[in-house]
Amino acid sequence: MQYQQDKNANQYQIIYPQRNKPYSQDNKQNTLPKLKNYLQEVEQNNGVLNKIKEQGIKFADKINHYFQVLSPQIKNNNEYLDMKLKYNDDEQLIQKQNTQQRNQKSYDLLSSIVFEIRSLRSICKLSNQQSQYLPGMISIKTKENQTGLNERSIGVDLICLIDKSGSMRGEKIKMVKKTLILLLDFLGEQDRLQIITFNEQAQRLTPLKCLTEKNKQYFQSIISQIQPRGLTKISSATHIAFKQLDDKLYRNNVSSIFLLSDGQDREALFEISNQIKYTKEVFTLYTFGFGEDHDAQLMTSICKLKNGYFYFVKDITLLDEYFAHALGEIVSVIAEQIQINISSTSIKPMQDLQISKTYGNMWKQRGHIYDINIPQLASGTRKDFVFEIQIPQIDSKILDHERVVKVLEASLSMKDPINGEIIKKSATLNLTLFNQDENVDVIEECTDVYSQYLRVKGTETIDNAKQACDQNNFVEAQRLLDNMMIQIQKTNNKVIQKCTGIIQDLNQAKQASQKIQYNTFGSKQLCQMIVNNYAQGGINSIFSFDGKQLQQLKSSQFLNLTQQTMIKIVQTKKAQY
C-alpha cells in the first residue's frame, strides 16, 4: 500500500496492490501478518491518514476484505485487530425534546402491556387410562402508541445493506434508490442512518449520521451514485454492520438492519451466524429478497437470527410499501430485551405435567424451563407463543382441596428503550380438575387460544407442504393443506372469524404448491409465510394464479397503527404518479 499526494489538489489517495485473485482457506494465516503490517504502516503515517480521513475516506473499509478471510479463531485471538478496526465515527445524537418533555410523552410500559398465560380449556376432566394434550399460549399484548409520527421521542439507528451486484442493474437498483430516498421522509433528526453496499466486497458509503435536513441532502447524493457491478458476498456487509453497532460511540433507543439482495451466497448463513455470536448490541434484522433468483431459504434463515421478518419482493414496485411496513415497526418500538421464562410448578397431583411441544424457533429449553428472548417489541402488536402441555393419567381420586391447581408460571422482563427502566410482570396458568366419573356440564374453549393454535398448526402444515414439494410430491402437499382447511372449517364461526389470516395463507399455499407455480415463485412465498407467521410479523405476499404479486390495499394481519399510516402514505403517493 502506498500514499500518493495529488500535486494539483491538497488530497491524498490510497494505492492498493492487485487483489483480483480469490482468497482461499490456505492464505488465511498469511493474511494476518499482512493486515498487521498495513496497520503498523498506518501508525507510521498518521499525518497522512488524518488528511485522508478529512477527505471522507475510511481506511478500515478499504482493508476490510483482508479481515474477512480470517478464521473466527484468528479474529478472536488477536485483540490487536479488534482494537484497530473500529467504526466509531458515528455522529452525536440530537435530542429532539428535553428530558421533561420526553418523560411526559413516553409510553407507560407497565400499564400498557398485558402479559398472560392461558390454555384452550381451564377445566380438565382427568383420565386414568391415558395422558391428555392441551394447547396453551403465553401472550404479550401492547396498546397502540397514539403519538404521531412527527411527535415520537424514540430515536432509531438504521443500517441498510444494499446489494449492488451486477444482477441489480436496471429497474431493481432504480427502485432501491427511490425507496431509500422515500425512507428519508419517515425519519427525523433523532434518527440515524447508514448505507453499506456490497458485491463481492462491502463498502461503507456513510457513517451513522443524523437525519437533519442537511444530511438528508447528503444521503440523497450518496444514494444516487450507487452503481451495480460484480458478484454477491453478503457477509462482507454484515461484518461491517455488526462492528458498527458494537463500535459506535453513541447508542440510540432502537437499532435495526435492513438487508436487500437479489442473489445467492452459499457461505453467507454460516459466516453471518459466526459474526452475530460476537455482536453485543440489541437489534433486529429484516431481509428483503428481490426477484425469482434470490435464495429465499437463506434470507429467512438470516432474519430468524435476530427475530426479524422476510419480505419477498417479486414485483419491485412494492418494495417501498414493504420498507414502510418494516420501518413502521421499528419506529414504534416500546420495549427491548424482552425475556420470558416458563416452567411447570410440580404441584400435586400435576407434578408430572410437562410442556410436550412448542411452535416456532424462539423457544429455548433448559431442563424443565423454557426461555424466549425477543430483541424488540412494538406498540399495537401481540406476540403469542403457543405450546401443548401433556396432562398425565391420574389413577387416584382428586379431592376437593386439590381441584384448582397452578400448573405453569411465567415471568416477563423488558427494558424501556427511553429511560432504561426494567419492567417485570408475571402470570400463572391454573386448571380446575375433575375426576373421570364426575359430571361436568359444559367445558368452554377459549376462542383466542383456539385461533392462535390454528395459526401455528396451519403454519406447520405449510412447512410440511413445502417439504413435500421439495420432494416433488405436489399431490401430498395439496392433501395436507386441504386437511388443514377442513380442520379449521369444523370449528365455530367465532374461531373462523379470527382465522382469516391463516385461511388466506392456506389458500395461497395451495396455489403456490402446484408444480409450475412452486418452481417460479411458490417456494419463496411459502418460505415467507412460515417465518412470518411464527413470528407474527411482516407481510405475506399475495399472488394471482398467473404469478402476479398483488398490492395489498387492506390491512394485513400483522399491522399496527403506525405501519398502517406509513403504508397508506406510500400508496397515496404512488397513486398520484
Side-chain angles (χ1 to χ4, degrees):
M1 178 181 66
Q2 299 176 340
Y3 300 104
Q4 178 176 304
Q5 184 175 13
D6 187 340
K7 296 180 179 180
N8 298 324
N10 189 24
Q11 296 183 356
Y12 291 79
Q13 295 178 321
I14 302 178
I15 308 303
Y16 292 94
Q18 292 293 324
R19 35 176 136 123
N20 55 354
K21 295 183 180 180
Y23 294 101
S24 65
Q25 295 290 329
D26 296 335
N27 68 6
K28 285 187 176 181
Q29 298 293 338
N30 294 330
T31 300
L32 182 60
K34 287 182 181 179
L35 184 53
K36 282 189 176 182
N37 290 337
Y38 269 35
L39 295 171
Q40 290 170 358
E41 188 173 346
V42 169
E43 291 177 348
Q44 297 169 3
N45 293 271
N46 278 334
V48 176
L49 183 63
N50 288 336
K51 291 186 178 181
I52 292 172
K53 286 185 175 181
E54 289 173 5
Q55 300 299 326
I57 300 174
K58 300 296 181 278
F59 177 76
D61 295 334
K62 298 294 185 181
I63 63 174
N64 182 62
H65 63 282
Y66 277 106
F67 191 77
Q68 284 295 311
V69 300
L70 297 175
S71 68
Q73 291 79 10
I74 294 178
K75 294 177 188 177
N76 296 338
N77 292 333
N78 288 274
E79 296 179 0
Y80 180 85
L81 297 178
D82 286 336
M83 178 180 67
K84 295 298 180 181
L85 293 175
K86 291 290 186 181
Y87 298 114
N88 54 5
D89 56 349
D90 52 307
E91 192 170 59
Q92 186 171 355
L93 297 170
I94 297 175
Q95 300 296 330
K96 189 174 181 180
Q97 306 175 30
N98 62 41
T99 303
Q100 183 177 0
Q101 289 174 318
R102 287 171 67 94
N103 289 337
Q104 288 175 351
K105 292 189 175 184
S106 64
Y107 189 89
D108 184 4
L109 274 179
L110 193 60
S111 63
S112 300
I113 290 183
V114 175
F115 178 62
E116 57 188 354
I117 178 171
R118 294 176 290 169
S119 58
L120 180 61
R121 296 178 294 274
S122 60
I123 295 175
C124 179
K125 195 171 184 179
L126 299 175
S127 171
N128 59 9
Q129 297 179 345
Q130 61 183 6
S131 298
Q132 301 177 68
Y133 296 88
L134 182 64
M137 69 180 187
I138 306 172
S139 298
I140 308 176
K141 301 176 184 177
T142 64
K143 292 182 180 179
E144 289 283 4
N145 191 345
Q146 300 299 326
T147 303
L149 286 176
N150 296 325
E151 299 175 349
R152 62 182 174 89
S153 56
I154 194 169
V156 171
D157 279 353
L158 177 60
I159 302 178
C160 291
L161 313 182
I162 309 301
D163 187 343
K164 66 165 188 175
S165 60
S167 57
M168 289 289 292
R169 291 189 183 95
E171 293 301 315
K172 287 182 183 178
I173 200 66
K174 288 181 181 178
M175 192 62 199
V176 170
K177 292 180 181 181
K178 178 181 176 182
T179 300
L180 288 172
I181 292 174
L182 175 69
L183 177 136
L184 300 176
D185 294 336
F186 290 119
L187 296 172
E189 59 184 15
Q190 76 273 36
D191 305 311
R192 298 189 300 180
L193 178 65
Q194 180 176 50
I195 305 292
I196 298 172
T197 57
F198 65 94
N199 41 35
E200 61 267 30
Q201 295 179 13
Q203 183 180 7
R204 195 177 67 138
L205 297 187
T206 73
L208 271 172
K209 295 182 73 70
C210 298
L211 271 301
T212 61
E213 290 304 316
K214 180 179 179 181
N215 282 346
K216 286 184 179 181
Q217 296 177 10
Y218 160 79
F219 276 106
Q220 289 182 16
S221 175
I222 293 294
I223 292 168
S224 66
Q225 297 175 41
I226 299 175
Q227 297 297 328
R229 63 177 65 87
L231 303 176
T232 303
K233 182 72 172 175
I234 298 175
S235 62
S236 65
T238 53
H239 168 71
I240 296 178
F242 297 160
K243 279 197 62 64
Q244 176 68 79
L245 290 176
D246 280 343
D247 291 350
K248 61 184 181 180
L249 294 178
Y250 309 99
R251 189 183 187 280
N252 221 332
N253 304 120
V254 176
S255 297
S256 191
I257 295 175
F258 286 3
L259 167 62
L260 294 85
S261 178
D262 75 333
Q264 302 184 21
D265 184 352
R266 293 182 179 179
E267 298 177 350
L269 182 60
F270 174 78
E271 293 170 343
I272 295 172
S273 298
N274 281 332
Q275 293 169 357
I276 217 164
K277 291 178 183 177
Y278 308 104
T279 307
K280 300 176 183 178
E281 178 72 358
V282 177
F283 66 98
T284 46
L285 176 56
Y286 300 82
T287 57
F288 301 78
F290 286 85
E292 297 179 355
D293 296 328
H294 74 275
D295 188 342
Q297 190 65 56
L298 169 65
M299 299 299 271
T300 56
S301 297
I302 291 174
C303 76
K304 285 195 294 185
L305 293 174
K306 279 295 179 180
N307 292 90
Y309 315 130
F310 167 56
Y311 296 84
F312 174 27
V313 193
K314 183 174 184 288
D315 182 351
I316 59 174
T317 64
L318 298 176
L319 174 63
D320 49 3
E321 297 178 33
Y322 294 161
F323 246 59
H325 184 280
L327 185 61
E329 175 159 305
I330 296 169
V331 300
S332 54
V333 165
I334 44 84
E336 65 176 2
Q337 299 183 37
I338 297 91
Q339 299 178 337
I340 300 172
N341 305 113
I342 179 172
S343 61
S344 56
T345 59
S346 299
I347 297 176
K348 292 183 178 181
M350 292 286 103
Q351 67 272 19
D352 294 325
L353 178 143
Q354 61 182 343
I355 295 176
S356 58
K357 184 173 183 177
T358 58
Y359 292 86
N361 72 324
M362 65 287 295
W363 297 80
K364 306 300 179 186
Q365 186 176 3
R366 295 183 293 119
H368 295 294
I369 300 174
Y370 286 83
D371 300 322
I372 300 171
N373 294 285
I374 312 172
Q376 298 162 357
L377 184 65
S379 63
T381 61
R382 62 182 294 171
K383 297 294 181 183
D384 302 290
F385 307 100
V386 182
F387 57 88
E388 293 177 11
I389 53 176
Q390 180 182 0
I391 300 173
Q393 67 181 60
I394 303 293
D395 296 325
S396 59
K397 291 282 187 179
I398 298 298
L399 302 178
D400 285 343
H401 72 275
E402 297 175 318
R403 287 197 185 278
V404 180
V405 182
K406 179 171 68 173
V407 295
L408 295 176
E409 51 190 7
S411 63
L412 169 68
S413 173
M414 68 188 88
K415 182 179 179 181
D416 188 318
I418 294 181
N419 57 31
E421 181 182 0
I422 302 298
I423 305 296
K424 294 186 177 182
K425 290 198 170 191
S426 61
T428 59
L429 175 62
N430 296 328
L431 291 180
T432 302
L433 308 178
F434 286 87
N435 293 305
Q436 187 172 355
D437 58 354
E438 291 182 301
N439 292 324
V440 181
D441 293 336
V442 177
I443 300 179
E444 295 185 354
E445 294 181 334
C446 176
T447 301
D448 201 23
V449 174
Y450 206 168
S451 63
Q452 293 301 325
Y453 180 63
L454 291 173
R455 169 181 61 84
V456 296
K457 292 298 291 186
T459 304
E460 183 181 60
T461 300
I462 294 171
D463 194 359
N464 291 335
K466 183 180 184 303
Q467 293 177 40
C469 290
D470 289 337
Q471 300 297 321
N472 290 319
N473 197 342
F474 298 98
V475 174
E476 174 64 9
Q478 294 289 313
R479 187 191 68 80
L480 291 169
L481 295 167
D482 284 336
N483 288 345
M484 189 66 223
M485 287 292 290
I486 292 172
Q487 183 178 339
I488 294 176
Q489 295 302 328
K490 285 182 178 180
T491 63
N492 58 64
N493 289 332
K494 289 183 178 180
V495 174
I496 292 174
Q497 289 175 4
K498 286 179 170 286
C499 289
T500 54
I502 190 62
I503 290 174
Q504 175 179 275
D505 288 340
L506 287 167
N507 285 323
Q508 283 284 302
K510 272 185 62 65
Q511 175 179 287
S513 58
Q514 298 183 42
K515 185 174 183 179
I516 295 176
Q517 286 81 357
Y518 188 79
N519 291 328
T520 51
F521 65 88
S523 63
K524 297 175 176 56
Q525 187 183 12
L526 296 185
C527 280
Q528 181 184 54
M529 290 180 190
I530 295 165
V531 66
N532 290 349
N533 282 356
Y534 278 136
Q536 286 177 287
I539 295 180
N540 288 339
S541 301
I542 299 177
F543 284 83
S544 64
F545 187 77
D546 60 356
K548 181 180 180 182
Q549 191 171 18
L550 305 177
Q551 185 184 47
Q552 300 187 41
L553 298 176
K554 295 182 180 179
S555 297
S556 66
Q557 55 183 322
F558 311 124
L559 207 65
N560 67 12
L561 183 60
T562 302
Q563 291 169 307
Q564 291 180 40
T565 301
M566 293 174 66
I567 291 175
K568 189 66 175 178
I569 291 172
V570 171
Q571 291 177 340
T572 301
K573 285 184 177 180
K574 286 203 292 190
Q576 296 172 354
Y577 296 150

